[in-house]
Amino acid sequence: MKKCTILKDLFISGLSLCAVGVFASSPQKVKVATAESWAKSIVSQMTMEEKADFLCGSNGTTNNALGATGTTKEITRLGVRPIGTSDGPAGLRILSVRPADTKTYFATAFPIGTSLACTWNTELVHQVGEAIGQEVKEYGLDVFLGPGVNIHRTPLCGRNFEYYSEDPYVVGNIAAAMINGIQSNGVGTSIKHFAANNQETNRSSINEIVSERAMREIYLRGFEIAIKKSQPWTVMSSYNKVDGLFTSERHDMLTDILRGEWGFKGLVMSDWGGGFIGNNRSDVVAQIAAGNDLLMPGTNEQRADLLSAIKSGKLKMEIVDQAIERILKIVYKSPTQHNYSFSNNPHIKAHAALSRQAGAEGIVLLSNKDKTLPLASDKHVALLGSASYNTLPGGRGSGDVNEAYVVSLNEGLKNAGFVLDEGLSEYYRAYQLVPQYYNAPKPDFNEQTLNRIAQSNDVAVITIARETSEGSDQKVEGGFNLTNEEQSMIENVSKAFHQVGKKVVVVLNIGTVIETESWKNKVDGILLAWQPGQEVGNCIADILTGKVNPSGKLSMSFIKKYEDSSAAEYFPGEPANDPKTAYYKDEVFVGYRCYDKRNTDLSYEFGFGKSYTDFKYSDLKLNSRKFSKNLTATVTITNTGDCAGKEVAQLYLSAPKSELDKPVKELKGFAKTRLLKPGESQTLTFVLYPKDLASFNPNAEAWIADKGSYNVIIGASSRDIRLQDKFELSNRLVVEKVHPAFKQ
Ligand code: BGC
């Protein structure tokens, strides 16, 4: 252990924790540096070359032996260890094999972000976070590159599966639960991608033109809620530009808003290669000066540019030192710096069980005609669609996890006791390993064969899958819309089964919204399974059998046709064939905020999800009719059906009119009951704070709650309103004045 002499005046008795270069110990007393003093002492000893080097990360230091995505730099002579960062967000993404090692290192594939958000269960998401954090720590890493919290602005975004919702209140609260869970292990997170990274088409160069109001109310708000409630160790800036400047160069976002207004204490890193302007170079001076402290993974060109800017004084030394201190303060609290002796043996088995529980809870029952579901588990099932045999646990790209196994739907159904049509299994075996067939639900049986299948089975289950990925957006045809083969499979199978009085259930194994309107009435049940992680087949079987009563609800709207999308007119930007600029003319009217305003009929609305039981909402009580500092609403939920279930209740607020064009209503609270037995009730509590009443008024550069009457709307979904009441705000309230931002 090295002796840290500069810290000799800092003593705390009784601490046993010590780490190389951070602490020096004696039996009775332990000298402890604060993160701040340690960071300053290191900075004071660094050369200019070391500083330039340290502002860039690395892909290839010792930690990469652990299969990490990238690391910070090691400074051996000063005892600074390289900390390891790895993707996310559906579980820890590490390589499953390591050089010169015969063992395998698999991580748990948890449900994708969309699926987790549809649980509306922050306690459960917290538990998933705890489990992910334990894997991060026990696999020797320090910072998890997630969660991803960008808004679902369009159903086509290739990374929606990693993100949570079209609504920032859902995003912020689910993200905070995830971050708090992960960080409870003493490892960090990187909330990403800050911000307005809502499309993959030309993601590294697209210029998003967004008004300050839309930025603050929609695209930043989820980050704001999460950062205030959970203090992630790090924030990852995004690839795109906002209003002409890369986000990694925006001082207003990274410093004024993030740190100044929201009180963020950690470090900001770039996305991998973020802000490149060619030849592996970004404007490093602008990035560091804006508050983007760490360039990941860093290139030699960036290092050279930094060094010459430091030497010439173009990049001021105090700015450089501040960025380095921020990185060091994170290093200081990392397990690696503390020489944590990781086990390489996280609780994989328990995590698989948790993944199954969370995955099942994120499943949304969209349709259930005549109580088709649940199915008795001795039924003979005709299982159709190649994804039934090669079921997708998650999406692709950096959000893909190297899991040890995936339980396909056919395995899940067999595990649950169903009898599967062996002829069909045989038939599909040929397609199992061929990813391009995910979208082609072979085979296209003739009528006679389908009639035979319908005769010899009790029910048909068809899986429709979509594999989406980082780097590209989904197409409308064959992506959002079903292919002709998929349509005719639903049509023909339904005809054959209905002819003999048997039911058809469709399982959606997808990561983002697809079209359901044209076919939803042809089938008897629809399960929106999402991509719920490695236990996918078991998760779906748990719902099909009723072992788990569905309690997921949509965190986004299922529009009837693509043209209905609030962003359809403006996505993916101009010119359409190779967009350079995306104009967010949809303003704050994203998702249900738009569909409410336009009165758009939806296939399934935001907040919707069925259960095998029914719930009654009663006794909405406000603790006051006048708003002062805050206001509490309570509502009682009773299970009036005949099986146990959980219910998600939503609180929307409708604000008085003002000079601003405000949404009809906005989500300002949600709560989920425990598992209620038939006849059992639970009272849920919602608390409203001043900012929940406010809109961002760009003319006043302030969040303002207008004087007048506010409607409290309690819904089982955004369109299934059960109870309403109102309260008054007697005087206009300037809730928060802000720094003028997004002026360039
Ligand atoms: C993605 C990030 C990811 C990073 C490292 C980038 O391409 O946008 O989300 O964390 O790669 O893999």
Side-chain angles (χ1 to χ4, degrees):
M1 173 116 0
K2 281 188 191 168
K3 192 120 177 137
C4 197
T5 46
I6 341 131
L7 305 169
K8 54 181 176 279
D9 50 354
L10 292 155
F11 289 94
I12 292 181
S13 311
L15 284 183
S16 57
L17 194 63
C18 48
V20 174
V22 177
F23 302 117
S25 63
S26 69
Q28 268 78 43
K29 286 188 168 175
V30 182
K31 292 179 194 174
V32 179
T34 61
E36 179 101 25
S37 62
W38 181 71
K40 281 196 186 313
S41 76
I42 300 290
V43 170
S44 70
Q45 300 170 70
M46 286 169 78
T47 64
M48 284 195 203
E49 284 73 14
E50 280 170 334
K51 288 182 179 180
D53 194 38
F54 198 69
L55 292 172
C56 292
S58 172
N59 265 333
T61 61
T62 47
N63 255 334
N64 247 6
L66 304 178
T69 307
T71 71
T72 58
K73 280 291 169 52
E74 178 159 28
I75 314 176
T76 322
R77 74 173 185 96
L78 299 174
V80 178
R81 306 284 321 277
I83 65 171
T85 69
S86 249
D87 285 306
L92 180 65
R93 178 170 168 78
I94 47 169
L95 300 176
S96 50
V97 288
R98 296 178 185 170
D101 190 340
T102 52
K103 291 201 206 91
T104 44
Y105 302 87
F106 291 111
T108 308
F110 286 97
I112 56 170
T114 307
S115 159
L116 284 178
C118 287
T119 67
W120 300 67
N121 185 339
T122 49
E123 275 171 37
L124 184 59
V125 174
H126 192 282
Q127 282 175 39
V128 171
E130 283 171 44
I132 292 176
Q134 204 256 348
E135 295 191 18
V136 172
K137 190 167 184 181
E138 293 308 323
Y139 276 136
L141 298 166
D142 304 280
V143 174
F144 179 70
L145 301 174
V149 305
N150 296 101
I151 289 288
H152 290 189
R153 175 174 178 248
T154 161
L156 301 187
C157 174
R159 292 187 91 170
N160 276 354
F161 74 92
E162 297 183 54
Y163 306 148
Y164 294 131
S165 172
E166 68 188 25
D167 179 85
Y169 186 85
V170 175
V171 168
N173 284 285
I174 297 288
M178 174 59 79
I179 294 166
N180 281 326
I182 295 172
Q183 294 193 167
S184 67
N185 289 276
V187 296
T189 55
S190 191
I191 189 171
K192 67 189 186 184
H193 310 85
F194 191 61
N197 186 176
N198 307 101
Q199 67 185 64
E200 291 299 288
T201 307
N202 290 349
R203 66 173 179 169
S204 322
S205 57
I206 191 82
N207 183 16
E208 320 270 17
I209 309 293
V210 198
S211 72
E212 183 173 7
R213 181 175 170 212
M215 278 304 276
R216 290 190 180 265
E217 288 190 18
I218 305 292
Y219 300 103
L220 297 183
R221 184 78 179 126
F223 284 95
E224 177 183 358
I225 294 171
I227 284 164
K228 287 181 176 167
K229 287 191 171 180
S230 66
Q231 259 317 322
W233 287 15
T234 83
V235 168
M236 187 189 291
S237 56
S238 56
Y239 282 131
N240 54 287
K241 294 175 187 162
V242 169
D243 230 352
L245 272 186
F246 283 114
T247 58
S248 57
E249 299 174 6
R250 290 208 74 105
H251 191 275
D252 52 2
M253 280 176 69
L254 305 187
T255 297
D256 301 340
I257 295 178
L258 183 63
R259 289 165 162 126
E261 292 174 15
W262 302 349
F264 174 64
K265 303 270 184 288
L267 81 88
V268 176
M269 66 176 82
S270 69
D271 198 344
W272 266 233
F276 274 174
I277 43 181
N279 300 327
N280 280 336
R281 289 183 142 85
S282 61
D283 185 344
V284 292
V285 174
Q287 286 175 308
I288 303 295
N292 193 111
D293 312 301
L294 177 62
L295 306 179
M296 287 303 283
T299 64
N300 291 336
E301 292 79 3
Q302 285 175 315
R303 252 166 243 129
D305 290 352
L306 279 166
L307 186 58
S308 76
I310 293 171
K311 282 187 171 160
S312 71
K314 202 170 158 204
L315 193 50
K316 292 209 178 65
M317 196 56 90
E318 71 244 39
I319 304 274
V320 170
D321 289 353
Q322 173 180 264
I324 295 177
E325 277 173 32
R326 287 183 184 139
I327 306 171
L328 285 168
K329 282 194 248 172
I330 298 302
V331 172
Y332 177 86
K333 50 184 179 180
S334 69
T336 295
Q337 183 66 29
H338 285 258
N339 260 345
Y340 178 70
S341 154
F342 53 95
S343 64
N344 264 328
N345 191 17
H347 302 144
I348 292 292
K349 228 170 154 192
H351 295 173
L354 178 63
S355 179
R356 176 174 179 169
Q357 182 195 343
E361 191 152 332
I363 292 178
V364 185
L365 178 63
L366 293 178
S367 146
N368 193 17
K369 282 191 206 158
D370 305 323
K371 298 201 170 174
T372 297
L373 300 174
L375 300 171
S377 58
D378 58 353
K379 293 270 188 217
H380 287 240
V381 179
L383 189 58
L384 295 124
S386 54
S388 296
Y389 301 84
N390 194 4
T391 320
L392 302 176
R396 292 277 185 229
S398 58
D400 193 0
V401 179
N402 291 316
E403 66 280 311
Y405 63 87
V406 177
V407 179
S408 61
L409 182 53
N410 72 318
E411 289 163 345
L413 293 184
K414 278 192 203 154
N415 294 343
F418 290 105
V419 184
L420 299 187
D421 185 305
E422 273 312 314
L424 275 176
S425 307
E426 274 302 307
Y427 199 101
Y428 278 107
R429 204 153 287 154
Y431 297 99
Q432 275 194 51
L433 301 170
V434 190
Q436 64 263 39
Y437 285 114
Y438 285 142
N439 288 343
K442 298 278 176 195
D444 42 350
F445 299 115
N446 62 27
E447 206 180 323
Q448 211 183 0
T449 318
L450 276 181
N451 288 344
R452 185 198 50 75
I453 293 172
Q455 285 293 348
S456 54
N457 291 282
D458 300 315
V459 62
V461 174
I462 303 173
T463 305
I464 304 285
R466 290 287 181 278
E467 186 170 67
T468 43
S469 174
E470 174 179 356
S472 61
D473 288 316
Q474 186 172 234
K475 301 268 179 294
V476 176
E477 287 316 322
F480 178 80
N481 287 337
L482 263 53
T483 60
N484 292 340
E485 290 83 1
E486 287 167 333
Q487 286 282 9
S488 54
M489 162 126 108
I490 290 175
E491 177 86 36
N492 298 340
V493 172
S494 300
K495 197 170 147 222
F497 275 71
H498 289 164
Q499 246 167 217
V500 288
K502 294 178 182 174
K503 311 274 187 173
V504 178
V505 176
V506 170
V507 170
L508 297 177
N509 183 208
I510 56 181
T512 182
V513 174
I514 63 167
E515 185 273 325
T516 51
E517 189 60 21
S518 65
W519 56 269
K520 68 178 188 187
N521 290 323
K522 296 181 182 164
V523 299
D524 307 284
I526 306 175
L527 266 198
L528 173 54
W530 296 119
Q531 290 156 354
Q534 65 189 38
E535 293 280 329
V536 47
N538 288 332
C539 297
I540 299 169
D542 287 345
I543 298 287
L544 287 175
T545 57
K547 183 174 164 198
V548 174
N549 187 350
S551 65
K553 293 198 179 185
L554 297 177
S555 64
M556 73 298 288
S557 313
F558 269 58
I559 44 179
K560 286 190 166 181
K561 51 185 193 308
Y562 174 67
E563 296 69 39
D564 289 340
S565 159
S566 43
E569 261 183 85
Y570 321 114
F571 176 83
E574 296 174 16
N577 59 347
D578 185 18
K580 307 269 181 296
T581 311
Y583 297 95
Y584 282 39
K585 293 188 191 160
D586 36 341
E587 281 288 330
V588 298
F589 298 97
V590 174
Y592 71 85
R593 287 167 171 79
C594 165
Y595 312 129
D596 278 359
K597 183 179 160 84
R598 291 188 194 155
N599 240 327
T600 311
D601 277 340
L602 296 164
S603 214
Y604 302 104
E605 74 273 12
F606 177 85
F608 173 84
K610 293 171 90 71
S611 165
Y612 296 150
T613 187
D614 296 306
F615 296 97
K616 188 182 97 193
Y617 286 58
S618 63
D619 297 325
L620 171 60
K621 287 189 190 126
L622 307 185
N623 71 339
S624 169
R625 300 252 152 235
K626 293 236 175 272
F627 188 90
S628 55
K629 287 200 170 90
N630 57 45
L631 190 133
T632 302
T634 52
V635 63
T636 301
I637 311 289
T638 307
N639 182 348
T640 54
D642 50 17
C643 63
K646 298 180 187 176
E647 172 69 344
V648 177
Q650 299 146 45
L651 184 152
Y652 298 87
L653 208 56
S654 171
K657 294 219 171 331
S658 76
E659 63 188 275
L660 295 179
D661 188 6
K662 293 186 192 174
V664 176
K665 63 179 184 301
E666 294 181 276
L667 185 81
K668 298 296 174 183
F670 64 84
K672 190 163 194 171
T673 66
R674 62 177 182 272
L675 188 72
L676 296 177
K677 295 196 199 91
E680 208 183 339
S681 299
Q682 185 179 348
T683 298
L684 301 176
T685 302
F686 307 88
V687 184
L688 293 168
Y689 297 97
K691 200 152 177 178
D692 296 323
L693 278 57
S695 302
F696 181 76
N697 188 324
N699 300 325
E701 285 295 344
W703 287 86
I704 292 176
D706 287 299
K707 171 181 163 179
S709 175
Y710 287 76
N711 280 352
V712 176
I713 301 165
I714 303 290
S717 80
S718 61
R719 295 206 170 162
D720 181 4
I721 307 305
R722 301 294 181 91
L723 299 164
Q724 296 200 47
D725 205 342
K726 49 175 78 144
F727 64 82
E728 289 290 317
L729 179 67
S730 347
N731 294 308
R732 181 176 184 262
L733 209 63
V734 178
V735 177
E736 194 184 323
K737 279 289 261 179
V738 300
H739 301 89
F742 307 107
K743 299 302 174 208
Q744 128 87 24

